[in-house]
Amino acid sequence: MSSPLVCSVCGKPAVIYQRHSGRHLCGVHFCADVEEHVAGTIKTHRMITGYDRVAVALSGGKDSTALLLMLSRLLPSFGEVSLVALTVDEGISGYREETIRSAEWLTRKLGIEHHILSFEALFGDSLDTLLKDREPRACTICGILRKKALVMGTQQAGATKLATGHNLDDEAQSVLMNTLRGDLSRLVRDSGVNSSGIFIPRIKPLREISEREIAMYLMLNEAWTDLPECPYSHHALRREVRSLLSGFEYRYPGTMLNLMKSKEKIRQSCSGTTDADLLIRCRICGDPSSGEICQFCSLMQSLGR
Ligand code: SF4
Ligand code: ZN
């Protein structure tokens, strides 16, 4: 009879095999490893420094739930840092209500200030209304408005950084998608901490943690949420890239991390180009923009607003 798999650190029963490190880990050592990894990412890239007020984009889904949970635990090691959670209510009926409930439950449990930003209050209409006869553009419209809502919320909350829950899978998918589209400028774009005061830096502390590790972390912390899928999620290219990359990662562990490393190398060879180097001010609203008119103002014009 084969012996049960045990934790490579303490010898207790293991709950996960960490492919990239080749170790089996128990629940305690797995959670500690993930939190240490995230703390390391934050420190290496100077994502959070003393006296920062970090706004966490909390959709109520898995990634943002794990992010808020981890940051609330890691906070004391970063000095006088405070947290505020922002949830965008796009107005997607039958979907958003449940994720908002989950976000409210978590922020109450952790005692974190929470603001809800609704499309209706900010832009005059819910996404459901804005999408009448425009459904194929759902994710583009939603993405631009959500980004704007989060920046507005971050400014209103007096925060100095905006943290999002993008994980390793999301980031690796984006590298591959931008490469497949031949979009080098998007590939090398860095809207992180080198903002030179032009925009609020966006940080992604989970960018080296895989979707699988996040799911395990949530289950071990009894924070797993099984929420419905957005009815507009028909992002065909990302879906295909996602399944292709998961297959590769399974057969060749480390594939996703390697993609991220490639992006960094390309960025460095472009002499560390940052968004701040590439941006000008939007002619209409004055926000940082890569063109004469920012994406938000162009969208508002095309929606006739
Ligand atoms: Fe918005 Fe598309 Fe995400 Fe739905 S799937 S929340 S429409 S970006
Ligand atoms: Zn603008």
Side-chain angles (χ1 to χ4, degrees), residues 90 92 95-96 127 131 138-140 142-143 146 230-234:
E90 302 91 344
I92 305 174
Y95 163 67
R96 201 32 107 200
L127 187 68
L131 289 184
C139 293
T140 308
C142 177
R146 178 148 27 85
C230 172
Y232 301 117
S233 58
H234 315 293

Side-chain angles (χ1 to χ4, degrees), residues 23-298:
R23 295 188 306 171
H24 293 280
L25 294 171
C26 70
V28 172
H29 287 109
F30 169 74
C31 290
D33 181 80
V34 171
E35 285 169 11
E36 248 172 62
H37 194 149
V38 172
T41 305
I42 293 173
K43 282 180 186 146
T44 308
H45 300 281
R46 296 169 189 268
M47 289 179 178
I48 299 174
T49 48
Y51 302 103
D52 258 333
R53 178 161 164 81
V54 181
V56 177
L58 177 69
S59 69
K62 297 180 184 64
D63 300 327
S64 60
T65 297
L67 175 64
L68 192 67
L69 200 54
M70 277 186 227
L71 287 184
S72 69
R73 288 180 183 173
L74 296 172
L75 218 58
S77 61
F78 295 110
E80 297 291 309
V81 176
S82 61
L83 283 180
V84 53
L86 306 177
T87 300
V88 178
D89 178 4
E90 302 91 344
I92 305 174
S93 74
Y95 163 67
R96 201 32 107 200
E97 300 88 342
E98 236 182 286
T99 58
I100 289 177
R101 268 197 296 278
S102 162
E104 284 174 332
W105 169 81
L106 184 69
T107 48
R108 253 199 316 272
K109 185 175 148 193
L110 299 174
I112 291 171
E113 187 182 327
H114 185 208
H115 301 266
I116 296 179
L117 312 150
S118 88
F119 277 13
E120 193 148 13
L122 295 174
F123 312 123
D125 268 317
S126 67
L127 187 68
D128 284 341
T129 309
L130 289 170
L131 289 184
K132 292 234 161 73
D133 303 323
R134 297 187 185 98
E135 223 181 275
R137 293 176 62 208
C139 293
T140 308
I141 295 176
C142 177
I144 294 171
L145 296 182
R146 178 148 27 85
K147 206 158 133 192
K148 183 74 174 178
L150 285 172
V151 170
M152 291 165 87
T154 306
Q155 286 166 338
Q156 280 162 12
T160 49
K161 302 271 166 64
L162 172 61
T164 59
H166 293 89
N167 61 38
L168 175 62
D169 298 55
D170 300 325
E171 292 295 283
Q173 286 158 18
S174 297
V175 174
L176 195 53
M177 282 166 67
N178 290 328
T179 308
L180 293 174
R181 289 189 185 120
D183 196 343
L184 184 67
S185 65
R186 199 178 279 266
L187 181 68
V188 300
R189 207 173 278 177
D190 173 19
S191 48
V193 288
N194 299 317
S195 70
S196 312
I198 293 181
F199 52 85
I200 294 168
R202 292 193 294 271
I203 57 171
K204 299 172 182 173
L206 303 186
R207 68 187 211 175
E208 290 171 17
I209 307 295
S210 69
E211 210 170 87
R212 179 172 166 264
E213 289 176 304
I214 288 173
M216 179 57 81
Y217 182 88
L218 289 174
M219 283 179 203
L220 291 167
N221 284 285
E222 291 169 4
W224 172 262
T225 42
D226 208 1
L227 295 166
E229 220 185 304
C230 172
Y232 301 117
S233 58
H234 315 293
H235 209 313
L237 180 58
R238 186 171 284 271
R239 199 177 290 168
E240 278 183 50
V241 166
R242 182 178 186 215
S243 97
L244 181 128
L245 264 183
S246 323
F248 263 76
E249 181 66 38
Y250 185 78
R251 290 197 300 280
Y252 311 107
T255 296
M256 291 200 271
L257 272 174
N258 288 340
L259 268 172
M260 297 285 290
K261 284 184 197 154
S262 306
K263 173 186 164 171
E264 273 313 302
K265 284 186 187 150
I266 296 171
R267 242 176 44 73
Q268 280 159 13
S269 65
C270 293
S271 64
T273 311
T274 68
D275 264 12
D277 302 324
L278 303 169
L279 297 177
I280 52 173
R281 296 267 172 204
C282 167
R283 190 157 54 77
I284 299 174
C285 70
D287 274 2
S289 165
S290 53
E292 218 182 298
I293 299 179
C294 73
Q295 277 190 317
F296 172 74
C297 290
S298 312

